[in-house]
Amino acid sequence: QVQLVESGGGLVQTGGSLRLSCAASGRTFSPNTMGWFRQAPGKEREFVAAVYWRGGSTHYADSVKGRFTISRDNAKNTVYLQMNSLKPEDTAAYYCAAAVGKYEYNYWGQGTQVTVSS
């Protein structure tokens, strides 16, 4: 069983920055992919960014390209999301996810709130 724990959310003004972290439990953690999703109240969950665990290649939603950067530290079983130039529309609960043993996400964190004031 894999447990994912997010941290780093908070309140920031428009144009500010935050860095989210997601730590996975287990000594033999080796996912195919880890990613970040977000969900605002009353809206559907949407994809934000993903990183392939071994190769390190990344993918981003168009809405965050050029502003957000996903990275991972394999030794620490941790994935990060650096968020710059934040906008009010980035306000949401952000969730870390992992695809373990397959290419669909099958483990999810509890979420961390990001609020961007205008």
Side-chain angles (χ1 to χ4, degrees), residues 51-72:
V51 59
Y52 282 87
W53 197 247
R54 279 205 164 196
S57 61
T58 58
H59 304 83
Y60 297 93
D62 289 342
S63 59
V64 306
K65 286 181 179 178
R67 300 189 298 121
F68 291 10
T69 303
I70 188 170
S71 61
R72 87 275 194 251

Side-chain angles (χ1 to χ4, degrees), residues 68-97:
F68 291 10
T69 303
I70 188 170
S71 61
R72 87 275 194 251
D73 187 331
N74 304 60
K76 294 182 178 180
N77 292 345
T78 301
V79 64
Y80 305 93
L81 185 68
Q82 178 66 47
M83 305 184 294
N84 299 325
S85 301
L86 284 163
K87 307 174 182 179
E89 47 263 49
D90 295 318
T91 295
Y94 283 71
Y95 297 88
C96 175

Side-chain angles (χ1 to χ4, degrees), residues 18-39:
L18 285 173
R19 189 178 77 156
L20 306 183
S21 299
C22 173
S25 64
R27 297 179 180 179
T28 60
F29 184 67
S30 185
N32 288 313
T33 308
M34 294 193 70
W36 289 95
F37 294 76
R38 66 187 183 186
Q39 186 172 25

